[in-house]
Amino acid sequence: MSVLLSDVVSGSAVVLRGRLWQLPATELRAAAVSASAEILRLEAVRVAVVDELSLRPDDQVIASRGVGCWLAANTMLQVRDGKKIAALGAALRPFPAVAARFDDGDCSFDHAVLIVAFCESPPKGMPEEALPRCIDLLLAAASGVEATTTKVRYVIATLERVFESDEIPPAEDVDRNELRIASTLNGRVVVRGDFDALTGEMLLSALSNLTMPTPAPDGTPDSRSAAKRTADGFTELIRRYLDCAKTGTDGGQRPHVNVHINARDLAEHRDCAAAPSPDGGGVAVSDLDVGHMPWLGPLSVSQTRLLGCDCFLSTVLLDDHGAPLDAKPGKRLVTAEQRVALIARDKGCAFPGCTCVPAWTDAHHIRHWANGGPTVMNNLVLLCRSHHRLMHRKAGFVGKWVIRIGADNKPWFIPPPSIDPQQHPRPANTTFKT
């Protein structure tokens, strides 16, 4: 008996597992996507039903101390999850645009929670008339198959810093910084800390190169976990400081933190950065006037100005599209200046959907150097090691991705026919980075 694609999505998994081998990989992928869409649809239905029940509770709901507890008692959900479902239903009522996108299945449960939480407690410096445009930005980040929690949180963090108020944002409040170091009964040491974003940026930048996976001499991949590599890197960082640090020197050079910001934004903070673009094309997060740190994302203009008072300023010339202009094209190896410009343009791995930070990327020649490709900006793109290998025809991979520099002087990725038969170009994933 054959297995139909509709049976996979609408049927039970009880007898399905032993029959899935009959489906080709294309139909298995389609079934996984369809099942995920069905889950989103049913989640929206459950939220709507539970919210209506909360408005018209009967004796059973009242006896259960609320609709959330009733739902948990009659399903396999935990009480906290039942209450979360009921809370989202109530929170969506004042924001019909968010509710409509969630009901259509184009916004996940978790992303809807993040958006309504922002809408309920917007930044104190944000005027009421800016909220609809902020919701549009948040929904754009939360919609579609490329939506990630990282993107939504990035937009929220950006908006919180755009609309500065007299209160210091929690991420920049150094008075909240804490570091606890305590010895345990078995002689080990436990470290627990809570730092502002700038301190965290310095720590991650310092640890970056020290926590990379290191293959064994025989080529065996690094077997350490990410946590173990971080601990080893932290140990090495302390050792190098104790061996090489020169204490007691005032006015020393401090080129340890990179912050990207447009010169006009550094000079003059506009009253409302969430204004529409002149061509009527809406609001882009990349146009908002905030600083950007490669590791921890947006930084308010006031904090960026503070850093600008005591720093070494590197200038990257940008064209009208915000793409860096190039210089010094003659060498195979990417210069330090070119890498700074690539980071300003790509903000990390540019491959669609990848969130690797700049420190974990290589500069890839779109047209290989061996084939006459020059080392210039329009022939370079930042790729993480995994996607860099993919561009060089990873073993066993059918087809090949093609990179082109578009009219906006930014990289575009063309998938192979095995992924997209129409081979529609996809923009580089440079809008949302943390």
Side-chain angles (χ1 to χ4, degrees), residues 162-180:
V162 166
F163 299 104
E164 299 181 53
S165 64
D166 294 335
E167 293 188 3
I168 301 174
E172 298 175 9
D173 189 356
V174 296
D175 290 337
R176 299 189 182 191
N177 289 2
E178 294 180 343
L179 179 64
R180 293 183 173 90

Side-chain angles (χ1 to χ4, degrees), residues 201-234:
E201 181 78 11
M202 290 189 289
L203 179 60
L204 292 173
S205 297
L207 288 174
S208 172
N209 188 51
L210 301 177
T211 57
M212 296 289 288
T214 305
D218 61 357
T220 304
D222 196 333
S223 61
R224 297 175 298 167
S225 66
K228 181 64 170 67
R229 295 200 311 271
T230 301
D232 292 345
F234 190 67

Side-chain angles (χ1 to χ4, degrees), residues 295-312:
W295 281 100
L296 293 177
L299 187 69
S300 65
V301 172
S302 61
Q303 183 76 353
T304 306
R305 286 173 177 166
L306 179 63
L307 292 175
C309 291
D310 182 18
C311 71
F312 283 86

Side-chain angles (χ1 to χ4, degrees), residues 95-408:
F95 308 107
V98 183
R101 194 69 64 87
F102 176 66
D103 292 344
D104 287 341
D106 199 28
C107 178
S108 71
F109 184 96
D110 291 336
H111 293 166
V113 170
L114 288 173
I115 293 174
V116 295
F118 174 88
C119 296
E120 289 177 334
S121 301
K124 293 186 177 181
M126 187 182 79
E128 292 185 8
E129 58 270 19
L131 182 59
R133 295 193 180 280
C134 293
I135 291 177
D136 290 341
L137 274 173
L138 290 166
L139 289 176
S143 301
V145 295
E146 295 182 355
T148 63
T149 302
T150 298
K151 292 181 178 181
V152 179
R153 290 188 183 277
Y154 180 89
V155 176
I156 291 174
T158 300
L159 292 173
E160 287 176 344
R161 286 153 181 79
V162 166
F163 299 104
E164 299 181 53
S165 64
D166 294 335
E167 293 188 3
I168 301 174
E172 298 175 9
D173 189 356
V174 296
D175 290 337
R176 299 189 182 191
N177 289 2
E178 294 180 343
L179 179 64
R180 293 183 173 90
I181 304 175
S183 59
T184 63
L185 294 177
N186 62 359
R188 296 183 63 80
V189 174
V190 174
V191 180
R192 181 175 300 169
D194 181 6
F195 296 102
D196 63 283
L198 181 57
T199 302
E201 181 78 11
M202 290 189 289
L203 179 60
L204 292 173
S205 297
L207 288 174
S208 172
N209 188 51
L210 301 177
T211 57
M212 296 289 288
T214 305
D218 61 357
T220 304
D222 196 333
S223 61
R224 297 175 298 167
S225 66
K228 181 64 170 67
R229 295 200 311 271
T230 301
D232 292 345
F234 190 67
T235 302
E236 179 64 20
L237 182 67
I238 297 172
R239 180 181 295 113
R240 293 186 183 185
Y241 173 80
L242 294 177
D243 288 343
C244 306
K246 296 180 180 179
T247 58
T249 301
D250 292 330
Q253 182 177 348
R254 292 181 288 175
H256 305 300
V257 177
N258 292 311
V259 178
H260 305 146
I261 189 169
N262 290 329
R264 67 177 185 275
D265 299 334
L266 187 61
E268 181 179 358
H269 191 194
R270 297 190 294 275
D271 292 334
C272 181
S277 60
D279 59 1
V283 184
V285 176
S286 58
D287 293 333
L288 299 179
D289 51 350
V290 295
H292 175 87
M293 296 183 295
W295 281 100
L296 293 177
L299 187 69
S300 65
V301 172
S302 61
Q303 183 76 353
T304 306
R305 286 173 177 166
L306 179 63
L307 292 175
C309 291
D310 182 18
C311 71
F312 283 86
L313 183 64
S314 292
T315 301
V316 179
L317 297 179
L318 308 178
D319 64 12
D320 293 338
H321 299 287
L325 300 175
D326 190 54
K328 301 180 181 178
K331 297 183 179 179
R332 179 180 69 86
L333 297 178
V334 174
T335 66
E337 292 83 0
Q338 286 175 317
R339 185 165 181 86
V340 168
L342 284 171
I343 292 174
R345 184 191 72 186
D346 297 344
K347 298 181 175 63
C349 180
F351 194 89
C354 187
T355 58
C356 277
V357 296
W360 297 348
T361 60
D362 300 328
H364 168 69
H365 283 75
I366 298 174
R367 181 185 178 192
H368 298 324
W369 172 264
N371 296 332
T375 306
V376 297
M377 287 296 297
N378 280 354
N379 193 47
L380 295 171
V381 62
L382 288 183
L383 296 174
C384 67
R385 191 59 53 86
S386 175
H387 288 124
H388 199 175
R389 286 196 299 266
L390 182 66
M391 291 304 152
H392 288 274
R393 293 299 292 270
K394 182 178 179 180
F397 185 79
V398 179
K400 183 177 181 179
W401 286 77
V402 177
I403 307 176
R404 295 283 186 267
I405 298 296
D408 56 359

